[in-house]
Amino acid sequence: MTDLNSYKQQLKEFYGNRTTYDHEKDTRHPLDAKILLEFVTLDSGQKILDVATGTGLLAIAAAEKVGSNGYVIGIDMTPGMLHQAKLKIAAAKLQNTELIEADAEFFNFSDSSFDVVFCCEAIVLFPDILTILKKWYSFLKTGGFVAFTCPPETAFMASLQQRIFAKVLGGSLPHILEPLGTPDKCRNLLNQAGFRDVEIKIEPSRRYRHLRDSRLSETVININFKGNPLLSKLSPEQLNQLQVEYQAEIEKLATEQGIWEDTTKFFVRAQK
């Protein structure tokens, strides 16, 4: 359950099964893509890379902005999502958009190839965020921009999950939201990767969410802790204790409207 290959495979399956991603209840995918796109001024003729393009929410809008003289490449490792993107691109009759099915962690482009690199909703999923930022830095032309979204480290009940894992394991386990979980962490990683002029816009958001199941699935555990090797060492008794502790905490938080959850988002932009 807990090696890196398994983590990547579960990511593919998790997102591949989300056939209604653009319209999922209680999510802001289209809105976040729109806000992120507006955070960087695009000009006609520019070349854009959209990492983890998914269903093309940002890539398609970017292609319309850069026009027929510009070009957009969307890269994603999830065939199901790319299929949805292809259908939308065909419906929009766009000729300046290319989709690549590949793991963006290992796929390379020539240095100074792009004016902007976008990553909406997915940067936290990369195993090594500093390394991927350095890679994007090399892809960008001088003066080009990187722009991405990420949640704070307190969002989506991350703190609750960490607290329970620490109690059961007797030590902390890094959560997927930690590396970019504060504005300072975002700035520090971008600066380490070579970027300058970091700007962060915080969009506060909260919601009530009804949980169909108060258990933590194996997939959610593996994704939220990026396939940490310590997970493979959990005994059946520890796994059961995790679920018992988690369900007890969820029951304390539950109301008739659901669980009150922080869904705040950072919109981050920096320049090469």
Side-chain angles (χ1 to χ4, degrees), residues 87-156:
L87 294 176
K88 292 193 290 184
I89 288 166
K93 297 182 168 58
L94 290 170
Q95 301 297 315
N96 63 342
T97 308
E98 177 186 355
L99 297 177
I100 297 173
E101 183 183 330
D103 185 341
E105 184 183 8
F106 302 112
F107 197 90
N108 288 307
F109 297 94
S110 300
D111 288 355
S112 305
S113 295
F114 298 97
D115 295 285
V116 185
V117 175
F118 286 108
C119 185
C120 189
E121 310 287 78
I123 190 171
V124 297
L125 300 172
F126 283 95
D128 187 335
I129 292 172
L130 178 57
T131 295
I132 203 69
L133 285 172
K134 287 179 178 178
K135 179 173 269 199
W136 297 348
Y137 184 90
S138 72
F139 295 165
L140 283 168
K141 300 173 184 177
T142 300
F145 286 93
V146 66
F148 60 83
T149 65
C150 60
E153 59 191 7
T154 53
F156 301 106

Side-chain angles (χ1 to χ4, degrees), residues 33-198:
K34 181 175 183 290
I35 294 172
L36 186 62
L37 188 65
E38 291 171 350
F39 204 23
V40 180
T41 301
L42 298 188
D43 296 318
S44 175
Q46 287 186 315
K47 191 170 181 182
I48 310 299
L49 176 62
D50 184 27
V51 179
T53 193
T55 63
L57 283 168
L58 190 143
I60 291 169
E64 291 166 347
K65 280 183 175 284
V66 300
S68 58
N69 292 325
Y71 201 69
V72 176
I73 295 177
I75 184 168
D76 201 288
M77 66 178 183
T78 311
M81 287 198 142
L82 287 177
H83 176 69
Q84 296 177 59
K86 286 173 187 173
L87 294 176
K88 292 193 290 184
I89 288 166
K93 297 182 168 58
L94 290 170
Q95 301 297 315
N96 63 342
T97 308
E98 177 186 355
L99 297 177
I100 297 173
E101 183 183 330
D103 185 341
E105 184 183 8
F106 302 112
F107 197 90
N108 288 307
F109 297 94
S110 300
D111 288 355
S112 305
S113 295
F114 298 97
D115 295 285
V116 185
V117 175
F118 286 108
C119 185
C120 189
E121 310 287 78
I123 190 171
V124 297
L125 300 172
F126 283 95
D128 187 335
I129 292 172
L130 178 57
T131 295
I132 203 69
L133 285 172
K134 287 179 178 178
K135 179 173 269 199
W136 297 348
Y137 184 90
S138 72
F139 295 165
L140 283 168
K141 300 173 184 177
T142 300
F145 286 93
V146 66
F148 60 83
T149 65
C150 60
E153 59 191 7
T154 53
F156 301 106
M157 295 191 288
S159 302
L160 170 60
Q161 292 173 17
Q162 273 192 295
R163 190 167 69 248
I164 289 166
F165 270 78
K167 183 175 180 180
V168 173
L169 289 171
S172 63
L173 202 62
H175 193 275
I176 197 170
L177 300 188
E178 271 190 64
L180 293 166
T182 68
D184 281 346
K185 287 180 177 181
C186 290
R187 286 191 189 91
N188 289 339
L189 276 177
L190 282 161
N191 290 157
Q192 286 180 61
F195 289 97
R196 60 185 173 87
D197 299 334
V198 180

